[in-house]
Amino acid sequence: MKTTLKILRYTRPHSLYFVLAIICAVISVSLTLYIPVLVGNAIDFMLGKGQVDFVKITEITVKIAAMVALVALFQWLMGHCTNVISARTVRDMRSDIFRKLNRVPLSYIDAHPHGDLISRITNDVEAVGDGLTQVITQLFAGIVTIVGTLIFMLSINVKIALVVVILTPMSILVAAIIGRMCAKSFRDQQELQGEISSYVEEIVGNQKTVKAFAFESRSAEEFGEKNKRLFKVGLRAQFAGALANPCTRFVNNMVYAATGIIGAVTVLNAFMGMLTIGQLSCFLTYANQYTKPFNEVTGVLTQIQTALAAGGRIFAVLESDDEPADDDKKQIENVKGDIEFKNVRFSYTPEKPLIEDFSLSVKSGQQVAIVGPTGCGKTTLINLIMRFYEVQSGEILIDGVNTRDIRRKDLRHLFGMVLQDSWLMHGTIMENLRYGNPDATDDEVIAAAKLSYAHSFIRKMPHGYDTVITEGGSNLSAGQKQLLCIARAMVLNPPMLILDEATSSIDTLTEIRVQKAFRKLMQERTSFVVAHRLSTIRESDIILVMNKGNIVEQGSHEELLSKKGFYFELYNSQFSFDG
């Protein structure tokens, strides 16, 4: 019920179409209910041999044709209004969930499979829209039909009308029981659809790796297993949903049969009030129309249950906690680049401590290299500086100001980032290079591209800087993508830099050139360089050697080699070989 109310709240801005749909439903159903009266009158004008009044029947036939045409018109208008409500609700819901994903902490995105989140924005929202269309259409017409037929039946014969009213709720009871039985199956079905979307997104996005490791058959088996589970759950859900309609139809047909029997007896024996054959025909039509809304609702029960299950998944995202607002924080200006860590402690999960009692002081303009084995906390340190994750205790200071006291967007604009995983959006090369600095001129962008040695290959592209990059940069090599990311950081021209294996996909000759460009860019800028290839960080002012979340060694390249400690072992392991 809560999910239903939340979905209906999204329809409030479109209340005008709501009112129009109700008006159209009232007119359409009223005209539909008037047609049986005309049919009944026509029947009463053709009882007995030689008693057919063709003039009256012709007049009634013309009226029926006009009523049918008007019913079709107002049903179309009601359908149009309903579709507008549904489409705009889906649009608003999809926009809200996308904006929500931009407001949640990075930890929320990391904790949920990306394919599942995509499925909620696409499949689940679409399921809500389909369910909403069915509910509004059936609800409006259904309520008006039930009220209208009830009034017409009471005006013809009160006692027979009461028989219909007493028997009909049996179909509602049957539908409610079946609906409760299949609700869990539909929730499981939506969750499994999200799981499959996540798996497909992962396999398709890493197809080169799948083929390189001959993982095709294994991935097909895993997908087949997930698909089989979805088949079983989906079959159970669809069977339960499909069971509702024939069950309620059976109950409603019993009502119809009871009405026909009692009505026929009334006509023949003239008890329980006078009833003509035409009125009986009209009454039977009303009895059928009275039960029709119950049949229609149970007929779309599958879509309704799917929509409610999908709505629950959508609102689970929409109601998650936002990243705390910090518009009241300080705006830091004229940054020199002094960075200090004071007794920082952080862990992704409480039972697995990662960084404990970490302290470090970096002066403006210094280049800090961070090295260590996989999982030692190198990238985590970068995430803490950028406030993608918050420290659990301790402080990180920039020019003496706690980063918690600086607005996140201002803090993140202080850094230019080049990561090992290159990210490029669908758009032109020029648009991608301007991503961090939309106000940069063409000359500034081209100068940055030349400095990063990307200009030469950009000129060879079909349309130069106006060449459109496909989604994820699939029409570029890994090295070209990384050079563009480096150029994008240079266009931003930030006071501080973060380079996380920024040259891992570049050939040796280009790497030497780019390292020279980086040295120019890093002049008078505080820089953090996460490196696995230790040959690239020899000239760093400070090398932090991390292991298990702690700095185990610290110093220049020569100093650390002379100590013959952990760094010495790491360095020699990269340059040693078996004779």
Side-chain angles (χ1 to χ4, degrees), residues 31 39 103 188 381 471:
L31 295 176
V39 172
R103 295 198 307 269
D188 293 342
L381 204 60
E471 185 179 355

Side-chain angles (χ1 to χ4, degrees), residues 249-296:
R249 281 186 181 278
F250 176 75
V251 174
N252 292 335
N253 286 336
M254 289 177 58
V255 174
Y256 185 82
T259 304
I261 293 170
I262 296 173
V265 172
T266 303
V267 171
L268 294 174
N269 297 295
F271 69 93
M272 299 173 66
M274 292 297 295
L275 194 69
T276 67
I277 294 177
Q279 287 176 325
L280 175 59
S281 171
C282 181
F283 209 107
L284 287 172
T285 303
Y286 286 144
N288 191 41
Q289 288 182 332
Y290 180 76
T291 58
K292 186 179 178 182
F294 302 108
N295 286 336
E296 289 176 343

